[in-house]
């Protein structure tokens, strides 16, 4: 399986201790040209101590495309506070040159009906259109999540008649117990806007897995992320794959260790 390197993207979550400048430099040194930025980094700011214009200029200097800003939460509870957050993040995305904003559902055990989620999508869509930013809906597979299914997320997007697309995450796919039975017959690969990749080697019961167990890809990955990618390729997906590990073990990683982990993960996918 050969995937064009320009389809690989690096989520900033892999480099919690690198400044945004060092992060951009590292991605560029790998011969890659896509990044995801976040609004939940330790410093609390999307661009650290840089202005949006400075960060955008730096990305351009290194030839990098800012694919997404991650993330609006909880998108399916669009009260006044959420709409203010949405507009703030859309302004940030526009200022840094990000193409899309990721949206995650409520994840605290409170159910949200399909009709309420459709209404939320319809309420948010004009705001995204106003700022010219694409919307990417990422279902979360945790048992307490209000939207766990990728197939259902796509159906809700269709029912809402909005131009949003899906983020498919190999970790969250694994957590949702009905994902495999639904997937091949129910998923529309043309409606996938981004795929998030991580790996897990922890063998505890699936329902007990958390973001803390998410590392990079390996031969011992219980998520079978490489197999998930091979299936997506076979089904015709030709979009972006973004590496998005979460574990705190990366807090101590040097730039060299991050680079090595990314190279190893890409090599597994290219075999």
């Amino acid at each position: 399986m050969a995937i064009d390197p320009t389809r690989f993207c690096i989520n900033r979550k892999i480099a919690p201790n690198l400044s945004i400048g060092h992060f951009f430099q590292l991605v560029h040194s790998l011969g890659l040209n896509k990044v995801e930025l976040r609004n939940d980094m330790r410093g609390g700011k999307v661009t650290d101590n840089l202005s949006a214009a400075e960060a955008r200029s730096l990305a351009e200097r290194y030839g990098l495309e800012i694919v997404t800003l991650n993330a609006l939460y909880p998108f399916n509870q669009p009260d006044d506070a959420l709409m203010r957050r949405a507009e703030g993040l859309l302004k940030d995305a526009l200022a840094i040159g990000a193409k899309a904003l990721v949206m995650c559902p409520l994840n605290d055990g409170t159910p949200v009906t399909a009709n309420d989620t459709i209404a939320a999508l319809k309420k948010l869509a004009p705001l995204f259109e106003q700022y010219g930013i694409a919307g990417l809906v990422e279902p979360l597979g945790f048992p307490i999540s209000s939207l766990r299914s990728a197939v259902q997320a796509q159906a809700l997007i269709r029912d809402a008649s909005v131009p949003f697309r899906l983020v498919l995450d190999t970790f969250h796919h694994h957590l949702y117990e009905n994902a495999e039975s639904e997937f091949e017959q129910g998923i529309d690969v043309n409606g996938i806007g981004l795929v998030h990749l991580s790996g897990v080697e922890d063998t505890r019961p699936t329902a007990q897995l958390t973001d803390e167990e998410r590392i990079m890809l390996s031969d011992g990955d219980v998520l079978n992320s490489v197999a998930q990618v091979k299936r997506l390729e076979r089904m015709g997906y030709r979009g972006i794959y973004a590496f998005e590990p979460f574990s705190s073990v990366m807090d101590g990683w040097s730039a060299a260790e991050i680079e090595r982990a990314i190279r190893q993960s890409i090599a597994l996918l290219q075999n």
Side-chain angles (χ1 to χ4, degrees):
M1 181 172 65
I3 299 173
D4 189 317
T6 62
R7 294 174 60 198
F8 291 125
C9 175
I10 309 300
N11 189 295
R12 199 179 173 202
K13 203 70 174 176
I14 196 174
N17 287 326
L18 295 187
S19 69
I20 196 166
H22 284 138
F23 173 63
F24 285 170
Q25 186 177 33
L26 181 146
V27 175
H28 175 75
S29 72
L30 286 162
L32 304 178
N33 69 346
K34 291 178 174 61
V35 295
E36 284 191 281
L37 297 187
R38 308 188 64 91
N39 64 332
D40 62 352
M41 298 302 288
R42 192 172 296 121
K45 297 181 180 178
V46 172
T47 58
D48 298 350
N49 60 340
L50 300 181
S51 68
E54 288 170 333
R56 184 172 185 163
S57 177
L58 195 60
E60 291 171 354
R61 186 191 314 168
Y62 284 111
L64 300 179
E65 176 186 343
I66 301 175
V67 174
T68 77
L69 175 56
N70 235 317
L72 175 65
Y73 172 87
F75 83 86
N76 53 353
Q77 296 278 277
D79 56 15
D80 290 345
L82 185 281
M83 296 304 289
R84 286 193 296 271
R85 286 201 300 278
E87 185 155 23
L89 286 170
L90 287 166
K91 287 178 178 178
D92 288 342
L94 185 64
I96 62 177
K99 302 293 190 297
L101 175 62
V102 175
M103 299 180 281
C104 295
L106 188 64
N107 185 47
D108 69 356
T110 305
V112 179
T113 68
N115 285 339
D116 283 348
T117 300
I118 290 169
L121 293 169
K122 287 182 175 180
K123 186 173 183 179
L124 285 163
L127 195 58
F128 278 73
E129 183 179 9
Q130 177 185 334
Y131 285 92
I133 302 296
L136 297 176
V137 176
E138 181 172 11
L140 304 179
F142 298 118
I144 61 172
S145 171
S146 61
L147 180 58
R148 304 182 66 200
S149 165
V151 170
Q152 183 191 17
Q154 283 195 327
L156 295 176
I157 290 168
R158 286 194 297 270
D159 289 346
S161 299
V162 294
F164 297 150
R165 302 179 80 196
L166 179 76
V167 176
L168 181 66
D169 186 298
T170 59
F171 173 74
H172 290 295
H173 176 90
H174 179 78
L175 292 191
Y176 175 50
E177 56 275 2
N178 296 325
E180 281 298 303
S181 62
E182 296 177 357
F183 192 78
E184 290 214 30
Q185 296 303 313
I187 206 75
D188 174 12
V189 293
N190 295 315
I192 299 173
L194 181 68
V195 176
H196 277 158
L197 302 178
S198 56
V200 171
E201 293 180 339
D202 195 301
T203 58
R204 77 184 72 185
T206 300
Q208 296 179 21
L209 295 176
T210 70
D211 281 330
E212 178 59 28
E213 284 72 63
R214 296 176 64 177
I215 53 176
M216 292 292 278
L217 307 190
S218 72
D219 289 326
D221 174 25
V222 301
L223 309 181
N224 295 312
S225 288
V226 172
Q228 289 194 50
V229 169
K230 287 182 177 179
R231 176 171 59 189
L232 286 166
E233 290 293 297
R234 175 174 55 78
M235 294 176 70
Y237 178 70
R238 295 297 180 266
I240 297 170
Y241 293 105
F243 294 102
E244 190 196 40
F246 265 80
S247 176
S248 63
V249 301
M250 294 173 300
D251 289 352
W253 280 10
S254 66
E257 288 170 318
I258 295 168
E259 182 175 340
R260 182 164 58 249
I262 293 170
R263 290 189 186 279
Q264 290 172 347
S265 292
I266 290 176
L268 285 172
L269 291 169
Q270 299 290 35
N271 286 339

